[in-house]
């Protein structure tokens, strides 16, 4: 075997582990990028991604608890909208804070501590004696939910091979889907029997367990390299290679140098709004505002909307089980469409699908049509979430990736807050159709902006898509073929 071939045959070669290429950013990217899917990727995905399950489970179960609040605390739609908006304000704050913290102190520490603190505040809501105390505790709960949901996707994206990133992100978003799908079942089984308090409290032991499991996760090598901690990054990459090799037969593909140079200059947070990238940043803020404005409103108030149409709490929960099942193929299937069609074009298709199906839901007046239209709304909302969770981390350098992700996510929560407040007004005065007609305008505007500004990232490394040069390229540039 030639000397060079021996040096790249697998992780057990000392020459490969200590070569000058292996401890440069460019070499590190090449080594991560050539890895095949393995047990290591699945284990990291499960441990890191389970927090996303609790994110959506908490969101939807809280929505069902709101339906119980209507009678226990004599609250109307406006009060419930304000309560939801306060919770999303905490999410907004957590989204903004997490980027600065995770880009400064690392992804792993933030993921571990935020989930532990979430579990404590989430369970404490069960002790609320009134809506005011619940709102306060819900605000702090959602600070840590916001931190979780914004640090996990960049962390995982920094470990995925670029040719598989879309598919792996679809699997990551499956945790959202499972949380949404199980939440009405959880609520249906527990709220009528033990009440909403125990329904919320029982999430505590599971969330705490996952937080403890995270101590076994590796830190992101890309983040370590961005901090100048090259030796730590090298040790982690060598460990990952060894684990992948053991699960795939002991031999890894050879290292192929990345075509695009890896940025080595200092990157500041001001570059998120630098002139070269500002149009893309504004585009992302708009699509997050739109996607999560519609999703959180739909997810939080659906049981209440059905109850307002005359369905009992149990009946509306049964309807919601069927409707929320649409999120599962939406979240998971999007990962494959992203690699096939591309992030930009699939996002536009999803937003069109959300607008059409949600408007038809607003017009529906029979149980069958209500469930069918709402199911497709959930399906396209799940697709849209996977799109933006995949797209956003690809467009910024490692040094500011989590900060940029947090800022974009914060705009999603602003959208949720404003549309939930709109729900309190429009649902009372004009019915559910008026609310979705408001969201249609946002969806149309987002489709137009993505068409004009959105870059193509399919099949490219994070480093190739996150420089100002590539991000600011014309929207009609030819995509690199996915491997």
């Amino acid at each position: 075997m030639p000397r060079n071939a021996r040096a790249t045959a697998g992780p057990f070669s000392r020459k490969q582990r200590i070569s000058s290429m292996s401890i440069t950013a460019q070499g590190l990217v090449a080594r991560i990028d050539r890895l095949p899917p393995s047990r290591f990727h699945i284990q990291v995905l499960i441990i890191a991604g389970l927090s996303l399950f609790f994110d959506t489970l908490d969101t939807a179960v809280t929505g069902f608890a709101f339906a119980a609040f209507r009678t226990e605390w004599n609250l109307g739609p406006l009060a419930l909208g304000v309560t939801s908006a306060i919770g999303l304000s905490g999410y907004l704050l957590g989204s903004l804070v997490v980027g600065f913290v995770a880009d400064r102190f690392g992804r792993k520490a933030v993921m571990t501590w935020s989930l532990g603190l979430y579990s404590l505040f989430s369970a404490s809501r069960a002790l609320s004696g009134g809506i005011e105390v619940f709102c306060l505790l819900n605000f702090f709960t959602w600070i840590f939910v916001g931190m979780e949901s914004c640090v996990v996707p960049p962390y995982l994206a920094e470990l995925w091979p670029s040719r598989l990133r879309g598919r792996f992100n679809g699997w990551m978003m499956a945790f959202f889907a499972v949380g949404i799908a199980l939440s009405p079942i959880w609520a249906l089984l527990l709220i009528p029997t033990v009440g909403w308090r125990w329904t919320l409290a029982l999430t505590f032991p599971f969330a705490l367990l996952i937080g403890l499991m995270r101590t076994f996760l590796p830190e992101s090598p890309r983040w370590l390299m961005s901090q100048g901690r090259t030796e730590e990054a090298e040790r982690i990459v060598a460990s990952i290679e060894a684990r992948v090799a053991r699960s795939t037969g002991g031999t890894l593909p050879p290292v192929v140098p990345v075509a695009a140079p890896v940025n080595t200059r200092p990157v500041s947070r001001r570059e998120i709004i630098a002139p070269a990238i500002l149009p893309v940043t504004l585009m992302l803020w708009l699509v997050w505002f739109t996607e999560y404005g519609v999703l959180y409103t739909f997810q939080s108030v659906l049981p209440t909307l059905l109850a307002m149409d005359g369905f009992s709490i149990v009946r509306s929960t049964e309807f919601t089980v069927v409707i929320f099942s649409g999120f599962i193929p939406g979240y998971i299937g999007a990962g494959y469409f992203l690699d096939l069609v591309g992030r930009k074009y699939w996002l536009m298709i999803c937003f069109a699908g959300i607008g059409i199906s949600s408007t038809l839901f607003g017009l529906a007046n029979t149980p069958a049509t209500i469930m069918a239209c709402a199911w497709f709304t959930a399906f396209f909302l799940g697709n849209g979430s996977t799109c933006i969770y995949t797209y956003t981390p690809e467009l910024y350098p490692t040094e500011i990736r989590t900060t940029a992700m947090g800022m974009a996510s914060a705009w999603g929560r602003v959208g949720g807050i404003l549309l939930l407040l709109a729900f309190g007004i429009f649902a009372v005065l004009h019915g559910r159709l008026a609310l979705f007609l408001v969201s249609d305008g946002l969806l149309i505007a987002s489709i137009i902006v993505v068409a004009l500004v959105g870059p193509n990232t399919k099949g490219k490394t994070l480093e190739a898509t996150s420089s100002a040069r590539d991000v600011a390229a014309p929207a009609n540039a030819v995509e690199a073929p996915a491997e």
Side-chain angles (χ1 to χ4, degrees):
M1 182 182 293
R3 183 177 181 181
N4 288 342
R6 287 196 304 269
T8 59
F12 306 103
S13 167
R14 179 172 175 81
K15 288 182 181 293
Q16 180 188 13
R17 292 200 303 269
I18 65 174
S19 67
S20 60
M21 176 183 177
S22 69
I23 56 173
T24 64
Q26 202 164 352
L28 178 145
V29 169
R31 290 167 64 187
I32 293 175
D33 230 39
R34 95 339 176 141
L35 295 176
S38 67
R39 189 181 299 114
F40 162 77
H41 295 105
I42 300 301
Q43 290 172 341
V44 171
L45 171 64
I46 292 173
I47 295 174
L50 274 172
S51 65
L52 306 181
F53 164 80
F54 288 107
D55 178 350
T56 50
L57 180 69
D58 190 281
T59 305
V61 169
T62 303
F64 286 107
F66 286 166
F69 294 168
R70 293 183 67 206
T71 55
E72 182 172 341
W73 290 333
N74 193 28
L75 302 177
L78 181 58
L80 295 176
V82 171
T83 302
S84 298
I86 291 173
L88 283 179
S89 298
Y91 204 134
L92 188 156
L93 179 60
S95 300
L96 288 174
V97 169
V98 70
F100 297 96
V101 178
D103 284 338
R104 175 64 181 86
F105 297 103
R107 284 49 165 146
K108 177 179 174 179
V110 174
M111 288 195 301
T112 302
W113 286 104
S114 60
L115 186 57
L117 290 170
Y118 153 75
S119 65
L120 290 173
F121 280 102
S122 178
S124 70
R125 294 177 301 174
L127 304 175
S128 303
I131 192 63
E132 296 83 4
V133 175
F134 181 90
C135 285
L136 178 63
L137 294 174
N138 202 45
F139 175 79
F140 283 104
T141 299
W142 277 68
I143 287 177
F144 298 107
V145 172
M147 295 180 71
E148 277 293 308
S149 67
C150 291
V151 73
V152 170
Y155 169 77
L156 293 175
E158 289 169 1
L159 292 175
W160 298 153
S162 61
R163 68 188 184 281
L164 301 171
R165 196 182 309 124
R167 190 185 314 170
F168 280 6
N169 270 292
W171 297 350
M172 175 190 73
M173 299 302 287
F175 289 98
F176 279 125
V178 173
I180 290 176
L182 289 183
S183 59
I185 299 175
W186 181 291
L188 182 62
L189 292 175
L190 294 180
I191 289 181
T193 55
V194 300
W196 63 267
R197 297 178 187 275
W198 277 106
T199 303
L200 293 177
L202 287 175
T203 61
F204 170 77
F206 303 107
L208 187 60
L209 175 63
I210 301 306
L212 294 174
M213 290 171 61
R214 286 190 176 176
T215 59
F216 299 101
L217 291 177
E219 181 56 271
S220 164
R222 278 179 160 105
W223 177 80
L224 289 170
M225 290 293 294
S226 74
Q227 302 297 304
R229 296 159 61 177
T230 57
E231 292 184 1
E232 291 179 64
E234 158 61 22
R235 286 196 298 269
I236 288 176
V237 171
S239 173
I240 291 172
E241 289 173 322
R243 293 173 64 178
V244 172
R246 284 195 297 269
S247 64
T248 57
T251 302
L252 297 178
V255 177
V256 178
V258 294
V262 176
N263 177 59
T264 57
R265 64 178 177 80
V267 178
S268 72
R269 294 186 179 93
R270 289 192 298 272
E271 295 196 26
I272 295 173
I273 55 173
I277 200 174
L278 181 59
V280 170
T281 294
L282 294 177
M283 175 206 72
L284 290 172
W285 290 357
L286 175 62
V287 298
W288 275 87
F289 182 97
T290 301
E291 165 70 19
Y292 277 90
V294 178
L295 188 148
Y296 273 99
T297 303
F298 179 77
Q299 189 176 325
S300 297
V301 307
L302 180 62
T304 302
L305 285 175
L306 295 174
M308 290 173 62
D309 283 343
F311 298 103
S312 67
I313 291 179
V314 172
R315 185 65 169 161
S316 65
T317 303
E318 292 171 346
F319 274 35
T320 308
V321 171
V322 177
I323 292 167
F324 279 5
S325 69
F327 282 104
I328 299 175
Y331 278 124
I332 300 173
Y336 295 88
F337 288 116
L338 288 173
D339 282 339
L340 179 66
V341 179
R343 286 64 158 146
K344 168 183 176 178
Y345 301 110
W346 191 242
L347 181 58
M348 294 165 62
I349 292 170
C350 290
F351 275 18
I354 294 168
I356 293 170
S357 56
S358 64
T359 301
L360 292 175
F361 170 63
L363 293 167
N365 53 19
T366 66
T369 55
I370 287 173
M371 283 196 295
C373 295
W375 189 94
F376 278 104
T377 302
F379 172 79
F380 285 112
L381 282 168
N383 269 273
S385 289
T386 301
C387 283
I388 63 176
Y389 267 93
T390 303
Y391 204 21
T392 305
E394 293 177 339
L395 300 180
Y396 296 96
T398 300
E399 294 85 347
I400 59 173
R401 181 169 293 127
T402 309
T403 299
M405 179 78 178
M407 293 176 69
S409 178
W411 278 103
R413 279 65 213 180
V414 171
I417 291 169
L418 294 181
L419 264 71
L420 280 167
L421 292 175
F423 160 75
I425 299 172
F426 285 96
V428 174
L429 299 180
H430 305 290
R432 51 188 159 91
L433 175 61
L435 176 63
F436 291 108
L437 291 179
V438 171
S439 66
D440 284 347
L442 290 171
L443 291 162
I444 292 170
S446 296
I447 292 171
I448 294 171
V449 172
V450 171
L452 295 175
V453 178
N456 298 309
T457 62
K458 187 180 73 172
K460 299 178 181 179
T461 67
L462 289 178
E463 287 68 26
T465 62
S466 62
S467 69
R469 180 196 65 233
D470 290 301
V471 171
N476 60 354
V478 178
E479 290 183 336
E483 298 179 29

